[in-house]
Amino acid sequence: MKNQFFTSRKGQSAIEYLMTYGWMLLVVAIVGGAVITTVQNNQNECTGEIPTSLETAQQGFGVSDFGVGSDGAQVVLKNSAQDSVTVTSVSIAGASDLSGSQNLNVGESLTVTNSAVSPGTSCAEMNVEITYDRGGLTNQVLNGTIEDQASL
């Protein structure tokens, strides 16, 4: 009789152990799946950052903001250099989007739009190339790639 009591207690203890830790493992698996899904979804989002090659801090002139809206892809150029800048061409996603040269005095901004780009549901990369003259230097070029929710 004594052996049956201990045998049945061991079996009950083993089942309780499996049930308790089985639920815990199920919860850990669900939380782990949620974390992995969140990390993967965040990797697919657009960064929305201006590449260093287009930033204003580098040369005092460059892209200060960009985005894709109902009007198309827009790039905002800002002149924070010590002298005026003449923008001779701006290309967003392969299309030249500036009609004629535009002079930007110190502190002025210029918004350039490519209406061929429309808002989309996925992240799209758009090449931007800006040609400008500043001081005695002509045909200076800034180029880089911006990302936004766009349909090209």
Side-chain angles (χ1 to χ4, degrees), residues 19-37:
M19 289 299 290
T20 301
Y21 289 103
W23 285 111
M24 184 212 46
L25 289 174
L26 180 64
V27 169
V28 168
I30 291 171
V31 169
V35 168
I36 288 171
T37 302

Side-chain angles (χ1 to χ4, degrees), residues 19-67:
M19 289 299 290
T20 301
Y21 289 103
W23 285 111
M24 184 212 46
L25 289 174
L26 180 64
V27 169
V28 168
I30 291 171
V31 169
V35 168
I36 288 171
T37 302
T38 302
V39 168
Q40 286 178 343
N41 286 343
N42 286 342
Q43 288 177 347
N44 294 333
E45 291 181 7
C46 297
T47 60
E49 297 175 0
I50 300 171
T52 306
S53 60
L54 295 172
E55 284 182 321
T56 59
Q58 201 174 41
Q59 299 176 13
F61 167 73
V63 176
S64 64
D65 198 10
F66 70 91

Side-chain angles (χ1 to χ4, degrees), residues 14 29 32 35 37 41 47 50 56 75 77 85-86 88 96-97 106 148:
V35 168
T37 302
N41 286 343
T47 60
I50 300 171
T56 59
V75 172
L77 306 176
V85 172
T86 302
T88 56
S96 181
D97 303 307
V106 178
D148 205 351

